[in-house]
Amino acid sequence: MAAPKKVCIIGSGNWGSAIAKIVGANAAQNSKFDNIVKMWVFEETVNGRKLTEIINTDHENVKYLPGHKLPSNVFIGRVCDTMKDKIKTDALGMSLIKGVDEGPDGLKLISDVIQEKLGITMSVLMGANIANEVADEKFCETTIGCKNKNHGVLLKELMQTNNFRVTVVEEYDVVEICGALKNIVAVGAGFCDGLGFGDNTKAAVIRLGLMEMIAFARIFCTAGPVSSATFLESCGVADLITTCYGGRNRKVAEAFAKTGKSIEELEKEMLNGQKLQGPATAAEVYLILKHKNLIDKFPLFNAVYQICYQRHPVTEFISCLQNHPEHM
C-alpha cells in the first residue's frame, strides 16, 4: 500500500482556516492521508501572543476565523521566504486563491505562477464558498479544476464533506479565471448598490458580467476548448451570484460609490488586513484587452477599470450597461 500522503495548507487567513477544518477532519479519517496536517502562516502577534502558538495550543485562529475550533491535527510551520527545494517534485498542489498575478502582457494565473516556481503539478478549487459559512458547515458546492482524473479523485476525497460538495472538471484554467473575473463584476454590482439602483439593474450587471467572463475565458484560456458548461458549475454562475450579493468587493465598491473615498482608503478602513481583488484584476484584464484591441467588446470590465483607476465618475457606470454590445 502506498505511504499516506502528507497534507500542508499554505496560508491561514479566513479562507485557509475554514478549509483547514474540512481537510483536518477528512485527513484524520482517511488512511490515504497522513494524520498530521501542517499549516504555514505569517507570524503575527495577537493580544501579546504569537498567532502560531495560539493555533497550536488553543486550535483557533482568533484573528481571521474567530469562534471556530480547528482540528487538533492541524499544526503550523513558520512560512519560509521560499518553499522551493523543500517540496517533492511529485507533490500535488491545489490553489484556492481567487485572484491573478501580473504577467508581461497582463494577467497570469496564480496556479501557473506556483507551478513555475515550485515545479509541481497544480489544480485549483473555486466556488461559491464564503469562508465563515463553510466553517459554520452550511451547505455549499465547490469546483475542483484538475487536468488529471486520478488526481481529481484524490483531491475530492480530501475536500468533500456532506455539506461541502465537490465537482471535478478538467478545465482548470477556466475554473480559475472564473474565480478572478467574478470579482470585477462584483465591483460593478457594488457600484449599483451604492448608486441606489435596484435588483433589476444588479441582475443585468450579473448577466452581462457573466457574458464578458465567458468571452474573456475564450480569449485567455488556450489549454483547450472552453465549454459553457463549466460556467454553470459552482465556480461560475454560483460564485458570481454570491460575490455580487455578499463579499468584500461588492461591499467596498458600494462604499466607494456612496462616499467618494479612494479604493485604497476604503480597503484600509473596512477589510481588517484583507485585500481587495476586483479593481486590481480589472487593471490586469484591461492590459490584455488593450494589447489585443478588444476593449470595446468588454464595456463592463472596462468601466470598472476606468472608474477605479482613471477617475471616471461612478455615475457613468450605468451607461456601460445601456450601451452594451449585447443590446445593439
Side-chain angles (χ1 to χ4, degrees):
M1 189 175 157
K5 298 191 180 303
K6 293 180 177 176
V7 180
C8 181
I9 298 163
I10 311 297
S12 62
N14 189 232
W15 184 214
S17 298
I19 282 297
K21 280 189 76 174
I22 289 174
V23 169
N26 281 352
Q29 292 168 0
N30 190 324
S31 60
K32 289 182 186 174
F33 303 106
D34 192 281
N35 189 41
I36 296 293
V37 173
K38 293 192 174 175
M39 182 192 244
W40 287 18
V41 303
F42 283 108
E43 189 67 277
E44 298 181 64
T45 303
V46 181
N47 299 328
R49 292 174 71 195
K50 287 182 176 177
L51 185 56
T52 49
E53 180 205 322
I54 295 169
I55 296 173
N56 280 343
T57 55
D58 302 351
H59 301 293
E60 182 180 354
N61 187 335
V62 292
K63 179 164 183 186
Y64 295 109
L65 195 70
H68 286 281
K69 286 289 176 189
L70 299 180
S72 58
N73 59 322
V74 177
F75 282 80
I76 300 214
R78 180 70 197 251
V79 174
C80 299
D81 287 341
T82 173
M83 292 159 55
K84 199 168 173 57
D85 305 324
K86 295 180 173 62
I87 294 177
K88 290 181 180 173
T89 51
D90 62 349
L92 301 182
M94 184 161 67
S95 173
L96 283 71
I97 300 165
K98 292 177 179 175
V100 288
D101 200 20
E102 197 171 341
D105 301 317
L107 178 153
K108 190 167 190 181
L109 297 179
I110 299 282
S111 65
D112 286 342
V113 174
I114 298 169
Q115 193 154 322
E116 284 168 20
K117 285 190 189 260
L118 299 181
I120 60 171
T121 302
M122 289 297 296
S123 303
V124 296
L125 181 147
M126 306 278 153
N129 307 142
I130 292 170
N132 289 38
E133 293 181 16
V134 172
D136 285 335
E137 297 177 26
K138 291 176 177 166
F139 177 82
C140 69
E141 302 171 312
T142 200
T143 312
I144 289 176
C146 183
K147 285 175 283 194
N148 181 309
K149 285 190 175 165
N150 293 335
H151 293 170
V153 170
L154 185 69
L155 293 169
K156 181 171 179 169
E157 276 191 58
L158 182 64
M159 304 307 300
Q160 180 155 277
T161 71
N162 281 341
N163 290 315
F164 193 68
R165 306 308 292 180
V166 176
T167 302
V168 182
V169 301
E170 285 183 42
E171 293 180 345
Y172 78 97
D173 51 351
V174 180
V175 171
E176 187 168 3
I177 204 72
C178 282
L181 296 179
K182 54 96 190 183
N183 288 322
I184 306 177
V185 186
V187 172
F191 290 161
C192 279
D193 292 341
L195 294 166
F197 290 94
D199 285 339
N200 293 344
T201 310
K202 196 142 117 179
V205 170
I206 293 169
R207 188 189 79 80
L208 293 168
L210 179 62
M211 300 308 285
E212 291 194 16
M213 285 169 62
I214 295 170
F216 186 86
R218 290 193 165 136
I219 294 164
F220 180 81
C221 299
T222 53
V226 172
S227 69
S228 299
T230 304
F231 294 90
L232 298 177
E233 297 292 349
S234 183
C235 63
V237 69
D239 196 12
L240 179 61
I241 291 167
T242 196
T243 312
C244 287
Y245 279 91
R248 66 187 91 150
N249 290 280
R250 187 219 63 81
K251 186 171 146 191
V252 173
E254 179 184 25
F256 176 89
K258 282 181 172 170
T259 65
K261 290 181 180 178
S262 74
I263 292 286
E264 292 77 16
E265 282 177 89
L266 292 166
E267 192 176 59
K268 285 194 189 106
E269 278 176 32
M270 298 172 71
L271 295 185
N272 185 33
Q274 291 181 307
K275 290 288 170 202
L276 203 63
Q277 312 98 323
T281 305
E284 299 293 343
V285 163
Y286 177 82
L287 277 180
I288 288 181
L289 294 176
K290 190 176 179 190
H291 191 64
K292 293 183 182 288
N293 265 339
L294 288 169
I295 287 168
D296 292 349
K297 297 201 180 324
F298 295 84
L300 192 149
F301 287 176
N302 184 35
V304 169
Y305 167 73
Q306 297 292 346
I307 291 164
C308 290
Y309 291 102
Q310 302 296 324
R311 302 192 174 194
H312 277 225
V314 70
T315 46
E316 286 182 13
F317 180 66
I318 298 305
S319 68
C320 91
L321 308 180
Q322 293 164 335
N323 301 317
H324 202 282
E326 280 257 315
H327 299 144
M328 297 301 159

